[in-house]
Amino acid sequence: MAAFRPASVHLSPTPADRPVYVIGGGPGGLAAAYALRARGIRAVVLEKADHVGASWRRHYDRLRLHTTRRLSALPGLPIPRRFGRWVARDDVVRYLEKYAEHHRLEIVTGVEVHRVERTEDGTGWLLHASGGRELTGSAVVVATGFNHTPRIPDWPGREGYAGEFRHAGEYRDAAPYAGRDVLVVGVGNTGAEIAVDLVEGGAARVRLAVRTAPHILRRSTLGWASQYTGVLVRRLPVRLVDRLAGPVARISVPDLSAHGLPRPDTGLYSRVRQGAIPVQDVGLVDAVRRGKVEVVAAVEAFEDGKVVLADGGRISPDAVIAATGYVRALEELVGHLGVLDERGRPTVRGGRTPSQAPGLYFTGFTNPISGMLREMALDAEKIAKSVAKRLR
């Protein structure tokens, strides 16, 4: 178990000298720890891996932020300009490491929290952690991450499928797939980018299984990042944003209906509110138009060594990569507290705390069009303000 040593500054006492525990050493947890510390509140980050930014280290090699460097920085430290406008995965990791070091955050690694519950006297929180540890805190910030546990649909026959199958979370680069026939399942940002990476990496054939056609946006148009628009419309009525987004999409993104990707029949912001983030185009549009990425129907099952598609087709790729997303996996940790909705997501976020669980905070469990990192930075300040008010 390792720890980053905190700076020597005056920290105000918390009840019974209980710190605020932050679960998770990713960007959301680090930002919250800094914001708390800036208000003189002792915050201890508990990270199950042996380093910060663990989930970022596992992402595929070509990944870059789809949000701009300036609007992706956490509070208290800009992202270096040398990292460029669209920051690469490795540079995000470097930034998180520097962030923890620069702010001398108190981080304990190698500790996984399994369950959070109220203390018997109701004045704090008891954390049950690995190694039989029981830790008592005045408040808890849950920042275990949006991409926590790979989600794989329960496709009939998948367990008996003998072909190569892996979740996108295991994909690193295209080298193992050079000269091979690959099916990518799912057309979120991850699936779209992996498909392009496979094409550029020399895969013999790349097919992309799509159940629902996504909204596709240019990452930047004439220097104007789509994130800027996302920030501007964040608080506007959903219907208004839907109306505005339609004409913009028709002008900036060509119609791919003939290639199997029709324009969605539901509004962009309506889809976002349902959890479907638009695909930022980093080469998919061109790859589909040139026939380098073939769009096929959704996967329905696996049978006799083949992949069965929703339109009745059967294909035999050399490898299947399931870009089918992740689940938050919060049920064991806090599900017994009644703070999750029917989809397993926290019912509150940022500076709000559940009425039945005062002092319990969540950050990093939404993926807004204004940018996840930007939102976590804002959440951090709100959480720190709320905790400070409660401790007073």
Side-chain angles (χ1 to χ4, degrees):
M1 181 174 68
F4 289 83
R5 298 294 298 174
S8 179
V9 297
H10 173 72
L11 298 178
S12 61
T14 53
D17 196 30
R18 298 170 177 175
V20 175
Y21 282 110
V22 180
I23 307 174
L30 298 181
Y34 163 72
L36 288 162
R37 189 174 174 76
R39 288 180 175 267
I41 300 169
R42 185 186 175 203
V44 178
V45 178
L46 303 175
E47 167 56 49
K48 69 177 181 179
D50 59 2
H51 39 233
V52 300
S55 64
W56 279 94
R57 298 170 192 268
R58 295 192 298 267
H59 288 313
Y60 48 92
D61 292 349
R62 72 170 283 148
L63 177 66
R64 288 181 175 271
L65 292 180
H66 293 158
T67 53
T68 65
R69 170 178 52 81
R70 289 187 176 182
L71 294 186
S72 300
L74 304 180
L77 186 69
I79 298 177
R81 292 190 62 179
R82 68 179 183 277
F83 288 172
R85 192 182 196 196
W86 311 106
V87 183
R89 178 205 64 186
D90 288 350
D91 287 332
V92 172
V93 173
R94 292 187 185 99
Y95 171 68
L96 295 178
E97 291 174 336
K98 181 63 177 179
Y99 191 87
E101 178 186 359
H102 178 78
H103 293 305
R104 303 293 299 276
L105 300 179
E106 189 172 354
I107 303 173
V108 183
T109 58
V111 175
E112 181 176 8
V113 179
H114 301 298
R115 184 180 175 89
V116 176
E117 59 188 18
R118 295 290 281 171
T119 55
E120 290 187 3
D121 61 8
T123 62
W125 291 94
L126 179 64
L127 286 68
H128 298 273
S130 54
R133 299 177 181 86
E134 291 190 348
L135 309 170
T136 304
S138 58
V140 173
V141 180
V142 180
T144 49
F146 192 84
N147 296 336
H148 188 277
T149 300
R151 173 187 174 273
I152 298 177
D154 187 20
W155 288 305
R158 189 188 71 79
E159 293 300 327
Y161 180 64
E164 180 178 338
F165 181 97
R166 64 180 55 196
H167 188 270
E170 300 176 276
Y171 179 90
R172 291 296 172 269
D173 59 56
Y177 305 96
R180 302 176 70 190
D181 180 343
V182 187
L183 172 67
V184 180
V185 184
V187 69
N189 279 295
T190 296
E193 195 156 354
I194 287 177
V196 173
D197 194 44
L198 289 165
V199 169
E200 296 177 355
R205 186 177 190 180
V206 179
R207 284 176 281 196
L208 182 61
V210 177
R211 183 172 300 278
T212 304
H215 285 276
I216 302 176
L217 300 175
R218 297 292 189 189
R219 187 168 64 178
S220 178
T221 303
L222 299 176
W224 179 266
S226 64
Q227 183 190 11
Y228 297 160
T229 303
V231 172
L232 292 175
V233 305
R234 181 84 166 88
R235 303 299 179 186
L236 294 180
V238 173
R239 290 184 179 179
L240 175 59
V241 178
D242 284 347
R243 292 196 197 101
L244 295 173
V248 173
R250 285 190 289 272
I251 293 171
S252 60
V253 179
D255 186 1
L256 300 175
S257 298
H259 302 279
L261 278 181
R263 298 190 188 278
D265 55 8
T266 53
L268 183 149
Y269 206 15
S270 294
R271 293 276 290 276
V272 170
R273 296 296 289 269
Q274 295 168 5
I277 297 299
V279 170
Q280 301 276 343
D281 179 39
V282 290
L284 179 67
V285 170
D286 185 57
V288 169
R289 293 178 74 184
R290 292 189 294 118
K292 297 294 186 179
V293 172
E294 306 169 46
V295 178
V296 298
V299 171
E300 287 294 308
F302 292 78
E303 187 176 296
D304 298 329
K306 298 182 183 295
V307 180
V308 182
L309 304 179
D311 61 2
R314 291 169 177 257
I315 60 177
S316 301
D318 298 321
V320 177
I321 300 173
T324 46
Y326 296 79
V327 294
R328 312 296 85 82
L330 292 169
E331 287 78 8
E332 181 180 349
L333 185 69
V334 296
H336 54 286
L337 298 172
V339 296
L340 304 177
D341 65 16
E342 66 281 356
R343 296 172 62 183
R345 302 172 302 181
T347 56
V348 299
R349 52 170 283 254
R352 297 171 57 202
T353 185
S355 58
Q356 72 275 31
L360 182 65
Y361 300 87
F362 296 89
T363 183
F365 296 101
T366 59
N367 195 8
I369 57 176
S370 53
M372 182 183 289
L373 289 171
R374 177 181 179 273
E375 209 67 23
M376 286 191 288
L378 296 173
D379 277 354
E381 302 289 357
K382 295 174 183 176
I383 290 170
K385 182 178 179 180
S386 176
V387 171
K389 182 178 180 180
R390 292 182 58 81
L391 293 181
R392 282 200 301 267

